[in-house]
Every structure is written in structure tokens, then in C-alpha cells.
Amino acid sequence: AGNGTATISLSEEALDIDDENPHAAFFIAQTLAHKPQPNASLHWLERAKCWAQKRGEEELLKQAGEFLRMPHAPNPSSPNPRQWVQQGIAHFKQRRLQEALRLLGQAVEFMDDKEHGGPLEHLRGKPLRALAFDALEALAEALAAEGNLEDAQRYGRRAAGLLGPSAEGPPFHLPDLHRREGLIFLS
């Protein structure tokens, strides 16, 4: 199995060079499957499959399919905060605020729970920290759109806090980090 942190770090470096490297995404998925929150690996597994399909890497597609059938594989039917955040953002964009608030609030509450690695500010790994940022940022925007400015500011500050220095570095690569940082401080 090796050192999971080193595997993720090397894979992220590979993604800095080739931002659609399916092998790097697959290594991250495999590593995260052995962590306390194994469903975080589903996001990376989907990326690996998508990028492998784009490149015609049939062997990697086969390995990804086999990976889902292994006993330690993440369970797509168990709670999936990534899916809640994606659906919440989609509802927000469609101006369905109540559904967006429900899903985004559910994701934040789940990730804030100590049982799932929370609070959000203590989540480890760039993918989880990026997901936490996305959830907090979208929740802040949805609350502001609803007129709840006090809570919107509170969640916006929490999102901004995730962009600060941490032991693992920022949750995004630098160009994206600066763009998101600017947007969150403008809101």
C-alpha cells in the first residue's frame, strides 16, 4: 500500500503537469478508499474513468471497474457529500434555493461531523478541503440570495479560512486558488 500521503502528493504533482492524468486520479482514488472517508475516492475514480475514456486507455477503465467490485471499495449508495454539493450547486443555478440550501446544508453538516473527519477546517487532503470550500461557498451564496446575510457571511468566512495556509497546502492549485480567493472576498 505504501505511504498514502506520498502517493497523493506525487499524484497531485503529476496532475500539475498533466491536469487530466487518469493514472494519477486512479492512484488518488485507490489511496482515499483506505481512508476514514472512503467515499471521497468516488470523485477521483470518476475522473480517472472519464480521462481514461478520453485517451482510449481501456486497461485503466477495466482496472477502475474491477476496483469498484473489491471489498474495500467505496459504496456509491452510502452518504455522498460530493453528490449533495454538486446537486445543491445545480439547484442554486436553477434558482431552486430551498432545495439548494437543504442539500448544501446537509453536506456541510455531514463533513462538519467529527465522525466523518470534521469539523471542515480539520479535513485532510486537498480533494476533501476543496469539496468543503465548494460546499461552504455555495451555501453562503444561496443564503445571501435568500436574504440571510448574517449566515451567508459566517459560511463565507469559513470558506475563506480554508484557503489559508495549512499543513497540506491550499485546497486548489495556485491560479484557481487566487481566483476563488478573490471571488469569496468580493462576495
Side-chain angles (χ1 to χ4, degrees):
N3 183 337
T5 304
T7 301
I8 289 175
S9 181
L10 285 172
S11 297
E12 287 173 343
E13 287 178 25
L15 288 167
D16 284 341
I17 296 167
D18 174 5
D19 63 352
E20 290 191 355
N21 184 321
H23 298 280
F26 189 54
F27 288 140
I28 292 172
Q30 290 175 309
T31 303
L32 291 177
H34 299 285
K35 300 284 182 185
Q37 298 173 328
N39 285 331
S41 71
L42 288 173
H43 167 72
W44 286 101
L45 186 63
E46 285 306 312
R47 282 183 168 183
K49 287 167 47 178
C50 176
W51 296 338
Q53 192 168 20
K54 276 185 183 179
R55 295 181 180 190
E57 297 200 28
E58 298 300 320
E59 184 59 33
L60 186 60
L61 284 170
K62 181 180 167 191
Q63 289 175 359
E66 290 170 0
F67 176 71
L68 277 176
R69 291 189 288 278
M70 298 177 101
H72 66 272
N75 180 355
S77 65
S78 62
N80 189 341
R82 178 165 308 285
Q83 186 175 34
W84 297 335
V85 171
Q86 290 170 343
Q87 290 173 350
I89 290 170
H91 286 301
F92 174 71
K93 288 178 179 177
Q94 298 166 357
R95 300 284 182 220
R96 293 173 30 202
L97 293 180
Q98 291 307 310
E99 189 61 19
L101 288 168
R102 184 186 68 76
L103 287 166
L104 294 166
Q106 180 177 328
V108 168
E109 185 178 316
F110 182 86
M111 290 185 286
D112 247 349
D113 189 341
K114 190 172 186 161
E115 184 178 311
H116 301 115
L120 289 170
E121 292 80 4
H122 296 142
L123 291 176
R124 301 194 43 90
K126 286 184 181 186
L128 285 176
R129 291 177 62 79
L131 178 64
F133 176 87
D134 289 342
L136 289 167
E137 178 187 43
L139 184 56
E141 289 179 15
L143 287 163
E146 192 180 57
N148 185 346
L149 299 181
E150 187 177 325
D151 284 340
Q153 287 179 337
R154 184 167 48 94
Y155 286 109
R157 281 191 295 274
R158 287 186 73 194
L162 288 174
L163 296 176
S166 76
E168 298 180 17
F172 304 103
H173 299 293
L174 278 183
D176 196 32
L177 172 71
H178 294 308
R179 181 184 64 79
R180 288 171 175 264
E181 190 173 47
L183 291 174
I184 196 75
F185 287 117
L186 282 174
S187 339

